Each structure stands twice: as structure tokens, then as C-alpha cells.
Amino acid sequence: GYHADRWKKLLLTKSSPVKAYFDTSEEDPFCMYNYLLDITTWNKSIRRGFIKVKITDYNGNTIESEMNNEASTFQQYKRVKILTGFYQDIEKISKISLTFSTKTLIGPKHKLRILQMKLKSLNNPER
């Protein structure tokens, strides 16, 4: 592997902000399976919040993603791509559940209406 301090010099020379995602190992404690969630929403009002993804296989095994630290902005008919990670992997997915949260305790509860959704494994892109 590469040490993170070697990447810092390379990334700081870029003129625009850069996000870098590093692949992890298959052994604990660094095991993480990355997925790209690509969704288009249907709400007329703009919603800002966080998405948590839960996937289930045909045997009923369920895993839940880690909550993203950055809130996403959802607008009608606009695609949003979110990187999400799991500590385990599921090969054949039978069910995908999304939970939308604004992380606020006061104020009205909002729903996020999904028009289209795609979940792609970045570790196994052939899936």
C-alpha cells in the first residue's frame, strides 16, 4: 500500500477541490465495500439530508451502510450520486431500503420520493 502522507503532496497541487477514495483491504480492521448510489428524486421542494442504505440478500441477511458525513441536496428530477460503504459484502441482493434523515429533532418530518435508483458495487463493478 501507499502511505497517506505521500498522496497529500499530489492532491494539494490540484487547482480545484479534490476528493480521493482509497480502496481498502479484505481483512479487518480495514475491510470496506464501496457502492455508488445514484438516485433521482421526485419531490417538488428541495430536500437536504442524509441517506442510509440497507441491503438484504435472498437468505435474509441484512447489512447497513455507514451514514455519510456530508448532507446531500435533492431537487426534482436531478440525479445525486452518493458514495456509501459497508463493512460486509452481499453478493446477490434481493432488497434495497433507503432511510432519509435531516438529523434534526425539531420541525416537520419530510419524505424523499425516489423516481429512479441505481446501486453499483465499486469493488465488483461486474455486478
Side-chain angles (χ1 to χ4, degrees), residues 36-51:
L36 182 65
L37 176 65
D38 183 351
I39 59 176
T40 305
T41 57
W42 190 33
N43 291 62
K44 291 182 182 177
S45 303
I46 294 175
R47 301 278 188 253
R48 187 157 171 75
F50 304 87
I51 297 280

Side-chain angles (χ1 to χ4, degrees), residues 106-121:
I106 56 175
K109 301 232 183 229
H110 294 289
K111 291 183 180 181
L112 191 65
R113 295 180 178 163
I114 306 295
L115 185 65
Q116 181 180 355
M117 176 181 70
K118 226 187 278 190
L119 186 66
K120 181 179 181 178
S121 172

Side-chain angles (χ1 to χ4, degrees), residues 23-33 86-88 123:
D23 206 2
T24 56
S25 70
E26 293 183 8
E27 299 175 15
D28 284 332
F30 304 109
C31 186
M32 181 65 77
Y33 297 93
F86 298 88
Y87 287 116
Q88 295 176 321
N123 296 83

Side-chain angles (χ1 to χ4, degrees), residues 22-108:
F22 298 94
D23 206 2
T24 56
S25 70
E26 293 183 8
E27 299 175 15
D28 284 332
F30 304 109
C31 186
M32 181 65 77
Y33 297 93
N34 299 299
Y35 284 78
L36 182 65
L37 176 65
D38 183 351
I39 59 176
T40 305
T41 57
W42 190 33
N43 291 62
K44 291 182 182 177
S45 303
I46 294 175
R47 301 278 188 253
R48 187 157 171 75
F50 304 87
I51 297 280
K52 190 172 253 194
V53 182
K54 195 183 290 187
I55 55 179
T56 306
D57 68 7
Y58 288 97
N59 294 327
N61 300 314
T62 300
I63 57 174
E64 199 168 301
S65 69
E66 291 302 302
M67 182 73 76
N68 292 337
N69 294 332
E70 296 178 29
S72 298
T73 301
F74 303 96
Q75 300 176 33
Q76 189 176 32
Y77 306 129
K78 301 282 183 184
R79 290 174 63 188
V80 176
K81 294 182 180 183
I82 301 169
L83 181 71
T84 187
F86 298 88
Y87 287 116
Q88 295 176 321
D89 195 21
I90 285 186
E91 201 165 315
K92 294 186 178 184
I93 298 172
S94 67
K95 180 180 173 184
I96 302 170
S97 302
L98 302 179
T99 303
F100 174 69
S101 170
T102 58
K103 286 193 176 179
T104 58
L105 299 175
I106 56 175

